Structure formats: structure tokens, C-alpha cells
Amino acid sequence: MQLNFAAREVTMKLVYYGPALSGKTTNLRALHQLTSQDSRGRLMTLETKDDRTLFFDMLPLVFRAEGPRGVDDGKGMSLRVKVFTVPGQVLHTSTRRLVLQGADGVAFVADSQIRETENNAAAFVDLRDNLRELGLAVAQMPLVIQFNKRDLPGVRSDQEIADLASRGREPVFRASAVTGGGVLESFFGLLQLTWNKLDAEHQLAKNLGIDRAGFLPMVARKLGYEGDVATLLAANVGGGAKRREER
Amino acid sequence: MTSSSSVVELDANLDGRLRLEELVHREALGELCKSFYDLFGIPVRIYSSEGLLLADESKGQTICAYVNSSARGRAACATIVDAVKRADPGEKGDVVHPCFTGAAYRVIAIDYEGRQIGRLIVGPYLPAQSVAMPPTLLATEPALEAEKARTLLFEMPRAKSETITRLAAHLKAVLDLVIFSGHRAFLTSHMHLASVRENYRELEDKNKKLQDAYDRLKELDRLKSNFLATVSHELRTPLTSIIGYSEMLTAGIAGPLQPEQTEFVQTIFEKGEQLLSLILGLLDLSKLESGTMTVKLRRTEIGAVVAAAMSTLTPVAQKKSVDLKVDIPEGLPAVHGDPERLRQVFQNLIENAIKFTPAGARITVVARPVLSGDDGVGSAEDRDEDAGFSLLAPARAFVEVRVIDEGIGIPDREKARVFDAFYQVDSSSTREYGGTGLGLSIVKRLVDAHSGRVRIEDNAPHGAVFVVTLPVSREAPASPSVPPGPVQ
């Protein structure tokens, strides 16, 4: 996170990680589609001729955070959430490590197809190793897991995912990024964990004059989401719920 | 253990140094402003967020020239221009700045990813609703002629406020694209460099670890060689007594032995000799590995060396009914070598050949001069390394000795490994054919010590050919020539 009090600006970095072709870029495209034009920047993709991510994709979401009174009095903070993807192909591990630097939260986009089980696991180990190289522990990193491609045949069943999730510590979301399903849910799930951690560490709400509980609904409003954030957050299965109850 | 270096640092959000002047090409900005001016006749300027003028397309308006013709007018104009330059576009990012002439400027923020990175100044233009010359013009400079000032003022391009808003929005959209493309190109090259550096760092780390492991292994290898040398030496001393006393017993020095006793003592003697040759081999190997074996290189006739090796092995060959044949031509150049060590080389090779050759078959040793130590072909055909053949060949004369057997042969994949110490193609062959697996590794190391080469070829349909290539001696022949004998 970058905090610039003088410019009244907070920048958070969220990274979408995962094996090759699991749908990280598709998640970003969907997020771009689902958010309002006022608060999103251009989606920047750096890809090869065959549409494989070369260095990263980046979607900047920029909006003004209102004070507790819920009005923009021109004194609010400028909130910048920069969402990155990494290149999934195994050979780009050093690029993944570079993009992962300074990440405040990670969404792990897994491929639900059963035949991708090994690749998902290998990519997670790669994430853990790369975080270690950067002096970070995966257990300390705000992390959500998304099982993407729910629309395809040959995928792990909902029941299996729920069982796995209930034994894990991370919130797990199901998604079909090509249709946009589960994309906002995963994003807000990650934003919630990240905000909770940054707020606990830096007293962001207090220092920036932002309403702690109203943060996520405010972001949702700014991004043009008209529904209830609580509904989005409730879409996760397993570990996330357990973790919140412990708090 | 070595500590790893740290990951190449990258500005985490990849936006720390976003400056308009670095993202876009200034001349391109100038062209953009010019095309805007050509289309609408309204001047436009682009400033960086720090107030640096990046592009300016404004031909002087006639009224401005007239106002500037007087000192007071010039001062007033400069004040306005300066104020416009510093004007803050405010929260909305768009303000109007009026001029005393009745003209107006629009100051518009250029935002990128939520940050203001520059300003666009459109104007001066005459607001479309202006019908009369404002009193401020003559109040600022009373010396101006009212009628002339009015005429010139109304020559200024007119525009509605909404039109300017729309034009500015278009210009901003175009600029945004230019900036985005610049940013994208900047990030691509930035990431490319960082990735290369990170890859390099990672490789360096791995190399360091490999080097450490290699150094450790080398040290272990040295310790092993020392250990072997010490143990072999210590084993040899008692063994000499065992061999000596059993030999004396067999000779009847301590009184006659019964036939069965003679047979037993004979076995002790033979096994003792076998053990001794193994220990001597180990000693040789460890000396060769540690570099303590001295090889006295001098002019050596290969024929005599091979003959010496043959004379030792003829009884062994006869016992096994293997035919030994030597074909060494007269006038073969002498090689640069140590006769005793070379005798050892050929003795090992021929002994090896006898071991793997079935009864009734033949072993042939042939020698010939060749030009290259590498291939023994001695031709210049289509070989890059033989460019300049006529210059290089005289400097690269070799003698090639081939030991040809009709034994079991050596599979291709094993050809390089048979020279490793203790290696035998099939470990079961140790039991069938005997031997320690040291002979060929000693051969390889001895030939290396002579700057020679040893390689294996196939002897179709079965059998192997060991080809030893040794450099020719450059010493003048001593006269009379001294045949090399065994060296103590």
C-alpha cells in the first residue's frame, strides 16, 4: 500500500495469481465491464500475439472516498485500487515475482477442471515460494481462492469445493469469469480481507476519516454496483466464513 | 550456505514517476496542438503538472499585437498570461479565465489514473455572446484607439462555451489515448528490463550454489584421493611380506613342501600378486589424480614400447589361445612420451583386449602417422578445423596406435564411461572377466598426461578398437638411438 497524506491518496495493490489459462485476464476484463466508467481506468493488457499475458494486465479503479457524512465535501481521500494479473506460464516466474512485489492482497484464480488439479497446486506452491523470496508469508497475505470456469464440463463439483473450502482457511468463491459470474464476489471478498488488514495495521479508517463499516458499500457504490455488498460477500464458501466468526 | 541476493526492486504500483513529459513525445504533442489550431483557429497550449510548457500552437491575434504595442498594454497582457499559466483547474478540472480585452481562456486538467499530470489551456477566444467591447480594455490602456481596438477584437475567433467544452473533451480523449499508449510502452520496456535483471539475479544465485556444491565435491574428491593413496601405501607393506614369504616357501627355502601344501602356498602367492597389482593400480590412479605422478617426456620409439608390452603379455595370450599380431611400419616417427608409462598404457589395453577376446580370435596392434590428434583421419575434407591445413598440419603431427580386438565390443553409450575409475560396462563382467575396472581409467589419465587422446571405435562385426593418438616428438634423434627399456 502506498499512503500519501499530502496528496490525500491511498493506493492498494491487488494481484490475481494462478496457473496459465485459468482466467486471470478474463476476471479483469469482466471487472472492467462490471464497473462504472467514472471510476475505472483503461484496462491495460501487455500480451503476446497469441493472447497470453506477457508481463501483466492492470486495471486501475480510482474514486474519491467520502467522509463519514457520506457526502463528497472535496476533502475526502482519493482511493486507488490497482488490480494486476501475472503471466501464468511456468517460465515467467521471475515476472510473477516482480508483479507480486508490494501486493496488499492476492486472489488465486484456479481452474475448476479436475484435470487442472496439479497445475493449480503447482501454481499455489509457486505463489508461496515467490512470496517467500520477497520475504512474505502466504499465511499473512489477504488471500481468496476463486474456482473459475464453473460453466465447463469436467469440473470439480460444488459439493467437493464446499468440502475442501470448509477445511481450508481462505474464503473460496466459485466463478465463471467469461460470463462475469462470481467476479465481483471474489473481488469484494479480497477487498474486504485487504481493507481489514490494512485498517488494522494503519488505522486507515480513523486516519483518513473513512467510515470503517461503510467502506465496502461505499466502494461498491462508487464502482456502480447497485446491489447489496453483503450478498456479494456471502457468496463465498468455507474458510472465509469461519475466519470471520473467529474475529 | 550462501545467502541469496534480494529480488530486483520494481516500483510496486508501476506509477510512481508518471510524468507527462516522459510519457509522450513533445513533438507529437506539438503536432496535436497544431492540428487542433488548424481545424478550429483557437490556440492551445499543454503544460506539465509542474508548469513546464510542452506544446504551444498560437499565432498572435491582431488585437493582442495591438495591445502589446504599448508598454502598459504589454505589462497588462503579461500579467494575464502569467495568471492563466498558473491557474488551478480546480475540483471540476475546468475553469474559465477572463482577459481584460473581453477574450477568455479555458484551463482544463489533464488527468490520468486519478492524478492530474498536466493542464490544457485553450484560448484566447472570444465568447460567442460578446457583442460589445468591454470597458476594461480601454480602462487598462486608454491610449488605444477605440474603433481600431473594437475591429481587431471582433477579428478574434468566436466560440460558445459548450463548444469549447466539447472541443476540450475531444482533445482530452485524444491525449488520454496518447498518454495511455506511452504509459503502456513505458511499462513494457520497464518490465522487460526488470525481468531480464531478475532472471539474471536468479541464475547468478543458482550458479553460486552450484559453484559451492562443486567446490565441496572437489574437496571431498581430494580427500578421497589422499585416503586412497595412504591406504594403498599401507596395504602394500604387509603384502610384500606375504608375497615374499609365500614365494620362498614355494621355492622350498624353508624345506620341501607336500604337493597339496605347494598348491595352497602357490594360491596365496598368486592372490597376493593380484592384490598387489590392484593396489599399485590404485596408487597410480591416485598419483595421476593428485598430479603427483611424474611423466618424463622424451623421444620415444612406439615400436619398442609396444614390443615390450607384447613380450609381457604373449604367455597370457597363448594360454588363452588368442592370436597377437603387431603391424608397426618402419620409419614411424618417434613420439614425445615416457616409455615406461606408454608401455603401461599399451599393456593395459592389450591385456584388456585379451580379457574380452574369445579363444581362437585375434588381437592386432597397428600404428601409423596421422595429422590430427582428434580424429586420426588426417584429411582436410570439409572440416572447418582443418582450414589452413597446410600451415597447421606440420605443427600437428601425431602417431596413432590402434589396438583391435574381436571381443564383445562396447555399446556407444558406454564408450565415454569405460574410462571412469572402477567402471565396467556390465558389473557382472567383473566376475566373468575379472579385473578391477582401473586399467582403462589409468590409460586415459596417462594418455592425457602425454597431451594425447584415446577413443573407442567399433570393430565390425564384433569387437572394439582402442585408438591412442600421441604427439610426435620434435627432438632430434639421438645417435645411436637408445631403445627404451623399463624404467624403475
Side-chain angles (χ1 to χ4, degrees):
Chain A
M1 183 193 61
Q2 286 175 349
L3 193 52
N4 185 341
F5 273 111
R8 302 193 60 73
E9 186 185 276
V10 184
T11 308
M12 284 184 208
K13 180 176 188 179
L14 303 180
V15 176
Y16 278 50
Y17 210 93
L21 298 173
S22 68
K24 300 172 289 297
T25 304
T26 313
N27 257 275
L28 241 63
R29 287 192 200 285
L31 200 55
H32 184 254
Q33 288 283 317
L34 291 167
T35 45
S36 76
Q37 209 170 353
D38 304 341
S39 47
R40 62 156 197 244
R42 240 187 220 96
L43 172 66
M44 183 184 285
T45 54
L46 305 178
E47 56 203 13
T48 58
K49 265 181 283 179
D50 50 353
D51 288 345
R52 306 295 295 269
T53 301
L54 181 58
F55 292 126
F56 58 78
D57 308 305
M58 180 187 63
L59 177 64
L61 301 170
V62 182
F63 38 85
R64 295 199 71 77
E66 299 145 352
R69 279 160 294 144
V71 286
D72 188 353
D73 52 7
K75 292 191 178 114
M77 292 293 293
S78 168
L79 248 165
R80 299 151 51 83
V81 180
K82 300 194 92 176
V83 194
F84 287 82
T85 67
V86 296
Q89 286 168 285
V90 176
L91 80 139
H92 293 311
T93 186
S94 61
T95 309
R96 279 194 290 282
R97 199 154 51 232
L98 291 171
V99 175
L100 206 51
Q101 277 186 70
D104 299 305
V106 174
F108 188 92
V109 181
D111 189 326
S112 293
Q113 298 177 92
I114 291 166
R115 61 157 202 252
E116 295 299 319
T117 308
E118 296 286 324
N119 287 337
N120 291 334
F124 189 80
V125 171
D126 178 71
L127 167 66
R128 197 187 59 197
D129 293 349
N130 276 335
L131 282 172
R132 259 184 214 161
E133 281 253 8
L134 292 164
L136 300 167
V138 71
Q140 305 298 316
M141 177 64 71
L143 177 71
V144 298
I145 293 171
Q146 180 194 81
F147 275 93
N148 191 21
K149 305 197 184 180
R150 301 304 298 157
D151 51 311
L152 290 188
V155 296
R156 207 165 281 288
S157 74
D158 285 356
Q159 187 55 48
E160 276 177 282
I161 288 178
D163 285 349
L164 289 168
S166 67
R167 283 182 277 152
R169 33 191 295 171
E170 296 83 15
V172 172
F173 292 87
R174 287 161 301 182
S176 168
V178 275
T179 60
V183 168
L184 279 180
E185 287 82 348
S186 314
F187 173 76
F188 276 99
L190 176 60
L191 193 63
Q192 183 189 38
L193 290 185
T194 310
W195 164 253
N196 285 347
K197 179 161 188 262
L198 292 178
D199 183 37
E201 284 173 359
H202 305 276
Q203 284 77 48
L204 283 186
K206 189 172 151 233
N207 290 340
L208 306 178
I210 297 174
D211 174 18
R212 179 174 287 120
F215 176 75
L216 285 176
M218 181 270 289
V219 174
R221 220 166 37 244
K222 290 287 180 181
L223 292 180
Y225 178 69
E226 286 162 4
D228 185 0
V229 189
T231 321
L232 288 179
L233 295 174
N236 81 80
V237 287
K242 200 170 98 194
R243 195 146 78 164
R244 276 201 301 280
E245 280 159 21
E246 284 166 5
R247 287 236 163 101
Chain B
M1 276 314 279
T2 22
S3 59
S4 304
S5 56
S6 51
V7 176
V8 167
E9 274 187 44
L10 191 72
D11 164 28
N13 291 310
L14 298 168
D15 66 358
R17 293 181 302 145
L18 278 193
R19 286 161 186 277
L20 185 55
E21 58 269 39
E22 285 171 12
L23 287 178
V24 295
H25 189 223
R26 271 195 213 194
E27 281 176 27
L29 276 187
E31 284 170 33
L32 181 67
C33 292
K34 181 174 183 311
S35 112
F36 182 90
Y37 181 81
D38 290 348
L39 260 178
F40 307 109
I42 298 173
V44 58
R45 292 184 188 83
I46 295 172
Y47 285 91
S48 76
S49 53
E50 276 110 20
L52 184 69
L53 180 63
L54 300 178
D56 177 10
E57 187 61 29
S58 52
K59 303 215 169 59
Q61 302 287 345
T62 45
I63 177 68
C64 298
Y66 185 46
V67 168
N68 273 279
S69 63
S70 83
R72 206 190 305 198
R74 206 159 38 241
C77 182
T79 311
I80 291 286
V81 167
D82 198 50
V84 168
K85 225 159 72 175
R86 296 168 194 282
D88 179 1
E91 277 298 316
K92 286 190 178 145
D94 186 348
V95 292
V96 178
H97 198 95
C99 174
F100 61 88
T101 55
Y105 293 89
R106 280 284 277 274
V107 182
I108 298 153
I110 303 172
D111 294 324
Y112 186 70
E113 285 189 1
R115 287 177 181 159
Q116 192 188 312
I117 60 166
R119 275 168 306 144
L120 204 59
I121 293 174
V122 181
Y125 62 93
L126 195 61
Q129 71 275 16
S130 302
V131 285
M133 187 171 70
T136 43
L137 178 51
L138 291 181
T140 306
E141 173 51 300
L144 295 177
E145 286 171 39
E147 195 47 45
K148 183 175 180 190
R150 186 198 317 276
T151 313
L152 293 180
L153 178 63
F154 290 134
E155 281 174 8
M156 188 180 269
R158 283 171 176 271
K160 286 187 199 160
S161 180
E162 315 83 82
T163 310
I164 295 289
T165 306
R166 286 213 309 277
L167 292 181
H170 170 71
L171 194 55
K172 268 177 75 167
V174 173
L175 257 178
D176 193 54
L177 263 179
V178 173
I179 294 166
F180 177 75
S181 305
H183 188 205
R184 191 171 177 279
F186 170 77
L187 287 185
T188 307
S189 60
H190 198 62
M191 279 303 292
H192 198 160
L193 270 178
S195 294
V196 168
R197 282 172 52 212
E198 176 60 11
N199 268 329
Y200 179 76
R201 181 200 67 86
E202 197 178 37
L203 280 178
E204 282 283 280
D205 262 11
K206 285 191 176 151
N207 276 345
K208 180 88 178 72
K209 283 181 187 140
L210 280 177
Q211 183 65 47
D212 287 350
Y214 175 72
D215 290 347
R216 226 176 94 73
L217 283 176
K218 233 167 56 178
E219 173 62 11
L220 283 176
D221 194 54
R222 196 186 60 80
L223 291 175
K224 184 209 72 185
S225 295
N226 280 352
F227 175 77
L228 266 183
T230 314
V231 169
S232 312
H233 187 79
E234 294 306 320
L235 282 173
R236 197 168 56 162
T237 320
L239 199 53
T240 316
S241 303
I242 293 171
I243 293 168
Y245 282 105
S246 52
E247 196 171 15
M248 285 192 286
L249 278 176
T250 323
I253 292 174
L257 295 182
Q258 292 170 13
E260 205 178 4
Q261 287 173 329
T262 310
E263 193 188 318
F264 286 3
V265 175
Q266 189 74 37
T267 307
I268 295 175
F269 173 73
E270 279 171 14
K271 296 297 167 192
E273 284 276 306
Q274 230 175 48
L275 201 53
L276 183 64
S277 77
L278 167 63
I279 290 166
L280 289 177
L282 279 175
L283 261 176
D284 277 352
L285 192 69
S286 60
K287 275 187 200 162
L288 281 165
E289 280 185 344
S290 62
T292 51
M293 174 172 283
T294 46
V295 179
K296 292 173 192 140
L297 299 176
R298 58 179 178 273
R299 189 182 161 80
T300 301
E301 299 292 343
I302 210 74
V305 167
V306 171
M310 281 293 194
S311 69
T312 317
L313 291 171
T314 305
V316 186
Q318 276 168 356
K319 202 168 144 191
K320 218 187 151 185
S321 309
V322 169
D323 187 14
L324 281 185
K325 187 170 172 287
V326 180
D327 179 11
I328 294 178
E330 290 288 322
L332 190 71
V335 298
H336 191 54
D338 180 328
E340 167 54 15
R341 296 300 172 202
L342 288 181
R343 183 194 57 75
Q344 203 178 343
V345 165
F346 293 110
Q347 194 168 320
N348 277 352
L349 286 180
I350 298 165
E351 198 174 5
N352 198 58
I354 295 173
K355 204 189 301 174
F356 291 102
T357 298
R362 163 180 289 186
I363 292 165
T364 319
V365 182
V366 296
R368 60 173 181 148
V370 293
L371 289 175
S372 160
D374 290 327
D375 54 13
V377 176
S379 76
E381 288 167 13
D382 302 328
R383 288 181 58 104
D384 225 23
E385 59 202 72
D386 281 325
F389 183 80
S390 55
L391 291 172
L392 298 176
R396 292 197 302 206
F398 292 84
V399 166
E400 175 194 275
V401 185
R402 304 171 81 89
V403 178
I404 307 160
D405 68 45
E406 294 173 357
I408 54 173
I410 297 171
D412 278 343
R413 63 176 185 283
E414 306 287 351
K415 279 179 180 152
R417 299 185 62 189
V418 295
F419 295 112
D420 293 345
F422 304 108
Y423 187 81
Q424 288 205 337
V425 171
D426 175 357
S427 54
S428 65
S429 69
T430 314
R431 253 165 283 144
E432 191 181 342
Y433 298 101
T436 55
L438 283 180
L440 289 181
S441 80
I442 292 175
V443 165
K444 171 85 169 75
R445 284 170 170 81
L446 281 175
V447 173
D448 283 349
H450 282 80
S451 310
R453 296 263 195 286
V454 58
R455 66 176 194 279
I456 302 169
E457 289 177 5
D458 289 324
N459 181 25
H462 40 76
V465 183
F466 281 79
V467 186
V468 177
T469 326
L470 296 163
V472 159
S473 173
R474 292 176 198 291
E475 284 172 39
S479 86
S481 88
V482 184
V487 173
Q488 294 307 308

